[in-house]
Amino acid sequence: MAANIDPNAGRPAGPESLVDVPGLLSAYRTGVPDPGEPSQRVAFGTSGHRGSALRGSFNEDHILAIVQAICLHRRRSGIDGPLFLGRDTHALSAPAMATALEVLAASHVTVMIDAREGYTPTPAISHAILGYNRGRERGLADGLILTPSHNPPADGGIKYNPPHGGPADPATTGWIERTANLLLSMGLRDVRRIPYERARNSSDLRRHDFRSAFVADLPNVVDLEAIRRSGVRLGIDPLGGASLDYWAAIIDRYGIAAKIVDESVDPTFGFMTRDWDGQIRMDCSSPYAMARLVGLRDTFDVAVGNDPDADRHGIVTRSDGLMNPNHFLVAAIAFLFTHRPGWGPSSAIGKTMVSSAVIDRVAAKLGRRLIETPVGFRWFVEGLLGASLGFAGEESAGAAFLRFDGSVWTTEKDGISLGLLAAEITAKTGRDPGGLFRELASDLGASVYERLDAPATAADKARLAILAARPPAIVELAGEPVLAVDAVAPGNGAPLGGLRVRAKNGWFAVRPSGTEPLYKIYAESFQGPEHLRRVQAEAQALVAGFDPPQGAPR
């Protein structure tokens, strides 16, 4: 399962690789999904429903069914406050938002859209929900974001955030998914909808200044004055996404020495460099997708890239280029828990089971409790909301942390505040986050970490589910005794959806992607690259050689 790197990876995308936007939008309007085809049904992964109109997995019918299901969910849950609605810069996000408005208006839901009718980052939606609901017990708000995150330009996505402001829990998304698929199977006959112009002129449609509220509140979570005084030069690449105008407003308001290196917004994302597989993908954790900013690393003291909905971050330093996401998480945790005196002594560290074990060692050094969860930021929402988690992060370059006073900032990943945190670290320690990580690694032990991706069919994912439920006996990993085989998270007992095998100096985990047709093998070694390859090889052999027990579904 070694990654097959496309020869064009890291190179500019050519005209032949660009999506046909008019054809994509036509497919959105005219395509009719087949409810009997699993790939064309509504499927909420770890972060909403994603697909493409060209594959029959993200068409107008999907949005009609999903938003009607959300309206029904609001009614059954007693959620009757406003719904904050936003979108990113993907081509399908605009028509999907229009469709959503038609359904929401028909159900007389008060909808708050951007006052400038611009793009809205995911963390700004979370911030707005939390701000509106603060101090309220009734009339609570929730939110919808039209985004497939970092997915390719032909994809669309929709995710629902309940009144807690973060990703919905599995029970909620499961109910919405089942209801939406029932509506699809019934030919959408129970979907309420009014024409777009009527929805636009409805008295239930309101405006909200997401940007001003978010930007004005940032000094309560990041020390912007220290960044300004230090003169730290911050490079910024929004990757053509929703953070562009937010970064411009931050630079203007706070006078920091920052520069946006590319202000392009283009639904084909033709300005991007190709990702590892030759596709255009706005993945700010990929050195191939981030090649432009990495090439400018000597121009800045530190730099940040965001994905199109700005819930993820990629940190670029002079010495490291694009930092491994785990390395930045380690540096961020070490810095925050020694520079936030307003956080209580019980504030814990949240990490996913597939994030680096160096985080475990940092937590032990800091004397902080570590909470391990399955993949998906939804598992951190309760801890951030109640401030029992000071910091929560995922290996896929998504994280959030508390305000200076120890209260919640967002319950969604926030790539903007994490980018500013990289500048704060540089300003206050005199070294960039890469330098801070190397210092920590020299004390706690250096590791080699890698994630491998491979295509996965529905049948492949079903086999992995059986592997997690009925793991074979595993006693040794790369020459060391196995310490634990985990199918559920130690922090909350929720299923990983795969399997993790741990030894003293290495571990691996295997699980299907919740957002793409892939399965993933994560591995880490504290004994170097050769040992890592042994760990990976044994993980691949386990997956390839696993034969479901007789009678198990295949």
Side-chain angles (χ1 to χ4, degrees):
M1 186 183 143
N4 295 315
I5 306 301
D6 189 278
N8 291 312
R11 297 180 179 176
E16 74 286 351
S17 63
L18 303 185
V19 65
D20 172 12
V21 173
L24 179 67
L25 299 182
S26 176
Y28 172 79
R29 292 188 299 270
T30 62
V32 179
D34 177 2
E37 168 55 49
S39 67
Q40 297 184 21
R41 292 169 62 83
V42 172
F44 274 75
T46 52
S47 188
H49 171 79
R50 297 183 192 174
S52 175
L54 301 177
R55 300 190 299 271
S57 52
F58 193 90
N59 303 89
E60 185 174 64
D61 284 4
H62 292 101
I63 303 303
L64 290 168
I66 291 169
V67 178
Q68 182 65 63
I70 288 169
C71 289
L72 295 171
H73 165 75
R74 297 181 98 242
R75 191 178 310 155
R76 79 182 187 116
S77 303
I79 301 171
D80 55 3
L83 181 143
F84 290 92
L85 181 64
R87 66 181 175 100
D88 76 354
T89 54
H90 276 79
L92 289 173
S93 295
M97 183 169 171
T99 303
L101 274 176
E102 294 174 359
V103 178
L104 293 167
S107 291
H108 299 289
V109 175
T110 299
V111 178
M112 311 286 274
I113 63 170
D114 183 63
R116 300 172 182 84
E117 305 213 11
Y119 308 108
T120 308
T122 287
I125 294 284
S126 179
H127 181 269
I129 294 169
L130 293 173
Y132 184 89
N133 290 340
R134 191 171 292 118
R136 295 177 187 266
E137 296 182 0
R138 299 179 180 178
L140 298 180
D142 54 1
L144 265 179
I145 310 109
L146 283 309
T147 174
S149 189
H150 62 286
N151 277 31
D155 283 11
I158 180 170
K159 54 186 179 179
Y160 172 66
N161 288 29
H164 57 50
D169 63 89
T172 298
T173 56
W175 190 91
I176 293 169
E177 177 183 306
R178 290 190 299 274
T179 304
N181 282 319
L182 179 61
L183 291 166
L184 280 175
S185 69
M186 296 168 60
L188 303 174
R189 68 174 185 236
D190 289 337
V191 171
R192 300 180 61 191
R193 178 187 193 184
I194 65 173
Y196 180 67
E197 286 307 315
R198 278 184 59 198
R200 288 283 305 176
N201 294 317
S202 168
S203 60
D204 294 318
L205 185 64
R206 315 282 172 80
R207 267 70 178 174
H208 178 75
D209 192 344
F210 290 99
R211 190 180 76 190
S212 293
F214 184 88
V215 171
D217 207 13
L218 277 169
N220 290 309
V221 70
V222 182
D223 194 343
L224 281 151
E225 179 57 22
I227 297 171
R228 186 195 65 79
R229 285 198 315 267
S230 71
V232 165
R233 291 170 296 171
L234 175 65
I236 301 160
D237 192 345
L239 298 184
S243 67
L244 173 61
D245 287 347
Y246 283 64
W247 281 115
I250 291 165
I251 295 168
D252 181 65
R253 182 180 181 112
Y254 298 108
I256 61 175
K259 180 181 179 181
I260 300 170
V261 302
D262 192 332
E263 298 184 359
S264 302
V265 176
D266 169 11
T268 70
F269 292 89
F271 50 82
M272 287 291 300
T273 50
R274 298 172 190 252
D275 202 5
W276 65 273
D277 56 357
Q279 287 200 62
I280 298 174
R281 187 181 289 109
M282 291 63 69
D283 184 354
C284 52
S285 67
S286 165
Y288 304 104
M290 288 277 282
R292 296 180 308 160
L293 190 58
V294 172
L296 295 170
R297 63 186 181 182
D298 291 334
T299 309
F300 305 103
D301 297 311
V302 67
V304 58
N306 294 128
D307 63 340
D309 71 319
D311 67 344
R312 299 173 72 203
H313 59 273
I315 304 302
V316 174
T317 67
R318 289 183 175 181
S319 55
D320 294 90
L322 180 65
M323 287 187 71
N324 180 301
N326 281 292
H327 294 179
F328 181 65
L329 294 183
V330 169
I333 290 166
F335 176 83
L336 285 166
F337 281 91
T338 54
H339 289 78
R340 294 297 188 268
W343 293 6
S346 62
S347 291
I349 298 164
K351 62 165 278 201
T352 57
M353 292 174 67
V354 299
S355 298
S356 171
V358 181
I359 296 173
D360 305 45
R361 300 183 180 192
V362 171
K365 179 181 173 121
L366 293 168
R368 295 282 177 164
R369 192 162 55 104
L370 182 71
I371 308 295
E372 280 194 297
T373 73
V375 174
F377 209 74
R378 61 195 180 193
W379 303 111
F380 299 130
V381 170
E382 184 179 341
L384 290 168
L385 192 62
S388 62
L389 289 177
F391 179 96
E394 298 183 311
E395 61 79 31
S396 55
F401 54 96
L402 300 179
R403 296 168 183 262
F404 283 103
D405 66 4
S407 63
V408 63
W409 165 246
T410 66
T411 46
E412 271 281 9
K413 302 178 291 252
D414 180 9
I416 296 173
S417 65
L418 267 294
L420 289 169
L421 178 64
E424 183 186 339
I425 291 171
T426 307
K428 288 186 172 178
T429 68
R431 58 195 187 282
D432 64 39
L436 176 55
F437 173 77
R438 286 191 294 277
E439 179 182 306
L440 292 163
S442 67
D443 178 33
L444 300 172
S447 73
V448 186
Y449 177 105
E450 189 173 40
R451 189 188 86 193
L452 302 176
D453 295 350
T457 64
D460 292 330
K461 291 188 175 186
R463 287 177 65 251
L464 289 176
I466 299 168
L467 175 64
R470 306 180 189 182
I474 306 171
V475 297
E476 185 177 280
L477 177 62
E480 293 187 314
V482 166
L483 301 177
V485 177
D486 303 313
V488 298
N492 61 4
L496 172 64
L499 201 67
R500 183 178 67 173
V501 178
R502 291 185 291 137
K504 180 181 178 181
N505 289 298
W507 63 270
F508 75 81
V510 56
R511 58 173 287 273
S513 170
T515 57
E516 296 181 273
L518 302 169
Y519 74 93
K520 306 172 185 240
I521 287 181
Y522 311 79
E524 185 173 28
S525 168
F526 284 89
Q527 293 187 341
E530 184 177 341
H531 184 251
L532 176 70
R533 298 294 171 242
R534 288 185 64 191
V535 171
Q536 290 173 322
E538 293 183 22
Q540 293 171 37
L542 174 66
V543 175
F546 177 68
D547 186 27
Q550 192 171 18
R554 294 174 183 254

